Amino acid sequence: MSDKLRILLTGFGPFPGAPYNPTQPLVARLAQLRRPALDDVAIASHIFPVTYAAVDRQLPEVLAKEKPDALLMFGLAARTPYLRIETRARNAVTMLWPDAANTRSSKRGIEGQADAMMFGPHTAKLLRAARLTGIDARASRDAGAYLCNYLSWRAIEHARADGPQLAAFIHIPLLARSGAVRRKGAARITLEELVDAGEAMLVEMVQLARKGRTSS
């Protein structure tokens, strides 16, 4: 078991304004995948409560427990109709919107005057893998200033220290429910489409992490 490549998938629970968070069913589906490309891979999953305290407490705990080679995180971007592969985490946190525990940040930055931190060049390969499934996926330089960006920042910190060699954050849109359509008339992305794109990115992360193992 210890020789298996280890991948950790994460999502978020509900939060103010989003009583249904589609990252939960997406992560659950991806964690249950059985594919030849994943035969020698141990996939773990974790759903974070949407609070700063939970991220600070649970991220180190789950990384210590699972010891993943790669970390693939998902969050909801309700106002974006396409898949967003985040390329960096900004040193920013909103003081306007409270988290799910009704806690507001007391400062606008996460870490002093630090610059934004990049995930790395592997995000371009994840973007390509997602696009090959036919989904509308785009690179993003702005993960917002809420919990998704906050988790991204903390994850990159751990990756730069002694954490997973690879980390990535993917923003997903609201799912199509009961034939819902967007204002412009185009059908929303479905869970099945997200699972297909998620699987492609997961397999890509596995391949990248495996190469990282053999080259280290």
Side-chain angles (χ1 to χ4, degrees):
M1 183 70 177
S2 60
D3 292 334
K4 282 192 172 185
L5 202 72
R6 303 183 68 83
I7 307 294
L8 176 61
L9 307 173
T10 75
F12 278 109
F15 58 94
Y20 170 77
N21 194 325
T23 62
Q24 291 183 273
L26 174 60
V27 166
R29 288 280 299 275
L30 293 177
Q32 295 167 3
L33 285 176
R34 298 294 179 266
R35 301 287 186 273
L38 304 174
D39 280 348
D40 60 343
V41 179
I43 301 177
S45 64
H46 183 79
I47 300 298
F48 288 101
V50 185
T51 72
Y52 299 104
V55 168
D56 285 337
R57 182 181 67 257
Q58 294 181 11
L59 179 60
E61 291 175 350
V62 72
L63 290 179
K65 176 185 176 184
E66 303 297 343
K67 297 179 174 58
D69 296 282
L71 172 60
L72 184 57
M73 304 167 284
F74 295 92
L76 173 64
R79 297 179 182 176
T80 304
Y82 50 84
L83 202 69
R84 280 169 36 195
I85 286 77
E86 301 299 339
T87 60
R88 64 177 190 162
R90 300 165 57 237
N91 186 16
V93 58
T94 181
M95 298 176 68
L96 297 176
W97 307 108
D99 64 15
N102 203 33
T103 300
R104 283 183 171 84
S105 174
S106 60
K107 55 184 181 179
R108 296 184 182 277
I110 300 173
E111 196 67 43
Q113 300 299 315
D115 293 330
M117 294 196 293
M118 305 299 292
F119 277 109
H122 58 280
T123 56
K125 295 183 178 181
L126 297 182
L127 176 60
R128 180 177 182 274
R131 283 178 169 172
L132 285 174
T133 69
I135 204 169
D136 185 358
R138 310 178 194 182
S140 168
R141 288 176 50 82
D142 187 352
Y146 197 46
L147 266 295
C148 291
N149 181 73
Y150 189 78
L151 175 60
S152 295
W153 183 279
R154 295 303 186 206
I156 294 174
E157 284 182 334
H158 282 280
R160 289 184 173 184
D162 56 354
Q165 57 175 297
L166 294 170
F169 194 97
I170 314 299
H171 263 122
I172 69 172
L174 285 172
L175 298 181
R177 302 180 75 185
S178 303
V181 296
R182 297 196 300 270
R183 291 178 183 175
K184 293 183 179 180
R188 280 180 174 171
I189 289 173
T190 66
L191 177 60
E192 296 305 318
E193 290 171 323
L194 279 179
V195 171
D196 287 345
E199 177 183 344
M201 290 185 288
L202 173 59
V203 170
E204 182 68 27
M205 284 286 270
V206 166
Q207 294 173 346
L208 292 168
R210 186 174 286 120
K211 290 178 182 177
R213 263 194 181 185
T214 56
S215 63
S216 60

